Every structure is written in structure tokens, then in C-alpha cells.
Amino acid sequence: ALKEIYNTQRADRAPSLEPMLQALARLELSIDPNRVVIVAGTNGKGSVSAILEALCTHAGERVGLYTSPHLVDTAERVRVSGKEISHTDFCKTYEAVLQRTQGIVLSHFEVLTLMAAWYFFSGNGFTKVDRAIFEVGLGGTWDATNAIPHSNVIVTSIGLDHTNLLGNTFTSVAENKFGVVTGPMNVVCAPLPHEAELVAARTEKKFGGTWVHVPEVKNVEVEHLASGEPVFHLQTKWGSAASPLPGLRGAQNTLTAFTAFETLGFEPAKHLSGLAAVSWPGRMQRIELNPPVHCRVYVSGDHNPQGMASLVELLKYYPRRKLHLVVGIGHDKDQTGVLAPLFNLPNTRVYLTETPFRGRKIADYDARWSEQAAFVSAVPKDALLKACSRAAADDMVVVTGSLYLVGHVLGMANAKR
């Protein structure tokens, strides 16, 4: 199934939702837009989606969650109330969608989105969900998820990423992200750059609906365990909550999810403990290597300038003597915007490598970065082991720059998830 999805399905065409709409009509699904949430944004949309999933599940709902990309297993993209679709059900779902969409040219992402919709809503061999959350893959206007009937939208932080497709201004990016608002809807917005706020205001004026703007989180309470691991707490109007994801960005994403949860008709104060069930790996996640190493090792899939800025902010909560960064970035990413903040960190060594999918080749890094790097290798495992071998017991190793690189490291034979 995966071979067909990724290798056979291709759609070299102008952006359009028409193939998705045709395919959805063929599937004949009964979808209540009021029970569907679309989550768009540049950074944080996966985290917000996962937190909202946990809250709605805690409230007693059966919740479908569709996210991308996956880290290790494609089945990660489709889950219900925290449980990934089984490989057997994945194949059954693929066959059902394939049979009903013959003759429609679809991309792999469109196929996966249709599979999630079938799994959540068909009731054909599967129990229907009470609510479904779809994370936008890229942009918004032409993203496959935008074809799913919906009346609830969350827009997380907006930054400059995928500029070759979305434009190189906050305005152009925001216009694409807010393209998921196609009528009067319930819209929750995280704090946005000024230009994006203007786009939000124009969209609200055009379509109406109920709009809620989440306040900016200015600080987060931190305590350190005996192991040195930080634990974060967020003060909200509903009470104190243990933030399931680290740093200010984790707190902001938690508050955004709570706000959306309230707009769906729930009382967040009754479900603060639901945060304990949040599962969102690959974001400042500590991993164990086998054989063991004597230093702490983390993976964090930050992959654009905005993500790197939040990673730099986050790292201040993690005590260490020296920092060793294993970094591989996408071939279309802003080298300076991603790498400069990392090379400027004090007491830090950078180990450049290649991410295994859509990655920048070693030869394509600017000389100033490869010359400053402590080690350069096209093989991620070699770069990681070199960093660990040079790190002292009180040092810290972080793999970052790409979710694909993080997934590769998690999937390596010597890394336990």
C-alpha cells in the first residue's frame, strides 16, 4: 500500500481542490462540519492538534486526528483518541479509497487525507468518531484538508516557510493559511505578526463568524527535577496547568488549544488533567541510545527560522556544560535563518549532516557553515555518534533542523522511541 501511495500516486498539476472534492463525493461520507476542526499555521499546528485531541478525549469524545509528516511509521498520521491506525486497518482503508476513486489523479497527501476521512467517518467496518481534527499539510487554500467540510478553524503562529510556494512575506503566507476560512466559522488565532493580523481582520470582515484571538504567553513557570529535566507550568484563567510541551512555545500552543477547546463548548477548568495524555514526539524529546551513551540526547524537529528562534529560547531551560547540535536542513530552507542562530550559541559545537528526505546535500551548504562546523558527514548516524563521543557527561546533544532527520534518528536501530 505504501509503495503505491508514495510511488504511483502523482499529481503534477495546478493547485486545485477539485480532485479532492470529486473523490469525497465518490466516498459518500456523512460529515458534520460542526464536528471538524482544521488547524493551519507555520509552527505549532501539530502540537495544538495533539493537545486538543487529548482534551476532547478527556471530555469523553472519540477523536480522530490526522497529522503530517510522520516520524517513523506512516500510520502515525491517522489515529483515534491517541491510538494509531493498525497496519491492517490502514490497508483496508487504502483499498476502500482506491476502489472508490479510480480515474481521479491524486497526490499521495490527498490519498492519505481521504483515507483519514474514510477511517473517521465511513462507519464501514470502523466506529465513527465524534470529532475529527485535521492538521493542514502545507499552506491552507489548496491543501487537501481544506476540502473536508469544516466550521472550526485554528490558526497557529505564522512565519516565513515554504516561501517558494507561499511567498516571501507574512501577508502572502497568511493569505494562504487563512484560505481555510471559507465562510462564517469559529476561528481561533494564536498571536500573529502585524501583517498577518491585518489578513485575519480582512478575512473576519469578509466572512463573519466567531473569532477569538489568543493572548501572548509572556512567561512560563519552570522547575527542575533531580535529573536536571525541566518541568513547565502554565497559569491560565481556568487554573494552573502542567504544560505537556516545553518552553514558551509549548505554553503558547497549550493556551491556544485550551481556547479552541472552550469555543467548542467545553469547560477547560474541568479537563486540566487531560494534558497528561498528550503524546507528541520529536519535539525536544529525550531519547536513549543502545548501546547507552554517557550524555543526554534529544531530538527536536525545528526546521525554519521561527522554529529555531523558539528552540534557542527553549534551550536556556536545559542546564549543560556544552551543547552539541547535529543539524540537517531541507534543500529549500533558508540556510542563514536556520543555521545562524545555532552557530551563534555559546559553548556550542555544530555537526552538519544530511536529512534523508528532501535534504540539503553537504556540498550545497555555504562554505561558512561547513567550515565552522565541528564535524561534517552526509550520514546522520556518523554525525550523531561523533557528537556523542565528543560530549562529556554533563554535556547535551540535540538533533534538529528537520522532522525527517528526527524521524530517521528515531527509526535507527540503536534508538528507542
Side-chain angles (χ1 to χ4, degrees):
L2 289 176
K3 183 177 180 180
E4 290 186 12
I5 290 170
Y6 287 112
N7 295 335
T8 306
Q9 304 287 352
R10 287 290 181 265
D12 298 322
R13 60 166 197 263
S16 173
L17 291 182
E18 189 57 32
M20 276 294 295
L21 295 172
Q22 291 178 15
L24 284 168
R26 295 259 196 99
L27 296 186
E28 298 181 320
L29 300 172
S30 178
I31 302 176
D32 180 357
N34 294 315
R35 312 298 292 180
V36 176
V37 183
I38 300 293
V39 185
T42 303
N43 292 81
K45 57 184 185 287
S47 300
V48 170
S49 298
I51 297 169
L52 183 60
E53 173 206 29
L55 293 172
C56 291
T57 299
H58 192 266
E61 291 192 328
R62 180 175 172 83
V63 186
L65 177 63
Y66 174 65
T67 59
S68 61
H70 61 274
L71 294 177
V72 179
D73 188 333
T74 304
E76 297 169 24
R77 296 178 180 231
V78 182
R79 69 192 199 191
V80 173
S81 295
K83 185 177 180 180
E84 294 173 9
I85 185 173
S86 69
H87 287 182
T88 298
D89 286 347
F90 185 97
C91 293
K92 288 180 180 178
T93 302
Y94 173 62
E95 289 294 336
V97 170
L98 182 65
Q99 291 172 9
R100 290 163 174 80
T101 58
Q102 291 292 330
I104 303 176
V105 180
L106 298 164
S107 69
H108 80 274
F109 185 76
E110 288 170 329
V111 172
L112 290 168
T113 305
L114 291 166
M115 288 172 59
W118 180 264
Y119 189 61
F120 297 157
F121 302 119
S122 72
N124 191 334
F126 310 114
T127 304
K128 290 185 179 181
V129 299
D130 301 310
R131 190 177 307 278
I133 303 166
F134 287 83
E135 178 195 357
V136 170
L138 174 62
T141 302
W142 306 115
D143 190 79
T145 59
N146 200 21
I148 306 294
H150 60 280
S151 60
N152 302 285
V153 166
I154 303 172
V155 179
T156 65
S157 64
I158 287 181
L160 299 180
D161 198 9
H162 301 292
T163 53
N164 58 321
L165 299 173
L166 305 180
N168 57 8
T169 68
F170 286 116
T171 298
S172 63
V173 172
E175 287 174 344
N176 201 299
K177 304 289 186 183
F178 277 99
V180 297
V181 180
T182 56
M185 298 179 175
N186 299 315
V187 183
V188 173
C189 297
L192 303 171
H194 176 66
E195 300 92 327
E197 283 282 7
L198 295 178
V199 174
R202 290 199 298 270
T203 308
E204 180 178 3
K205 183 177 180 180
K206 179 179 179 180
F207 293 113
T210 302
W211 289 63
V212 179
H213 294 265
V214 183
E216 183 179 358
V217 175
K218 298 291 187 180
N219 56 69
V220 59
E221 297 176 5
V222 186
E223 61 175 316
H224 286 86
L225 304 176
S227 63
E229 289 293 299
V231 177
F232 301 88
H233 298 276
L234 171 67
Q235 294 298 328
T236 75
K237 65 180 181 180
W238 307 287
S240 178
S243 182
L245 298 172
L248 279 176
R249 67 181 181 188
Q252 186 69 65
N253 292 333
T254 301
L255 183 59
T256 299
F258 265 128
T259 303
F261 186 59
E262 185 177 49
T263 66
L264 294 175
F266 298 99
E267 297 181 45
K270 295 182 178 181
H271 301 284
L272 296 175
S273 60
L275 294 175
V278 174
S279 173
W280 199 234
R283 283 76 178 173
M284 209 57 194
Q285 173 191 0
R286 187 170 179 177
I287 64 173
E288 297 178 6
L289 299 181
N290 189 15
V293 295
H294 53 273
C295 59
R296 290 172 294 150
V297 180
Y298 297 80
V299 292
S300 193
D302 310 286
H303 53 273
N304 54 41
Q306 185 183 20
M308 285 306 166
S310 66
L311 175 63
V312 169
E313 184 275 330
L314 180 60
L315 285 169
K316 69 183 182 182
Y317 300 112
Y318 292 79
R320 75 272 178 180
R321 185 178 67 91
K322 285 187 178 180
L323 177 63
H324 303 259
L325 295 173
V326 179
V327 184
I329 68 175
H331 68 86
D332 59 346
K333 300 299 181 181
D334 172 8
Q335 284 192 75
T336 300
V338 173
L339 296 177
L342 303 182
F343 276 93
N344 289 333
L345 286 169
N347 297 318
T348 298
R349 290 177 174 176
V350 177
Y351 303 71
L352 280 183
T353 189
E354 294 180 6
T355 182
F357 181 66
R358 296 179 180 173
R360 183 180 295 273
K361 300 297 183 183
I362 290 296
D364 294 333
Y365 282 102
D366 289 347
R368 59 172 171 159
W369 304 124
S370 54
E371 290 172 0
Q372 289 183 65
F375 182 77
V376 177
S377 173
V379 182
K381 183 176 181 179
D382 291 347
L384 174 59
L385 293 180
K386 178 64 70 173
C388 292
S389 69
R390 292 181 176 178
D394 53 355
D395 287 355
M396 179 178 173
V397 175
V398 179
V399 180
T400 189
S402 164
L403 280 169
Y404 298 116
L405 177 61
V406 165
H408 179 73
V409 169
L410 287 174
M412 280 168 28
N414 66 334
K416 302 176 184 177
R417 291 176 67 196

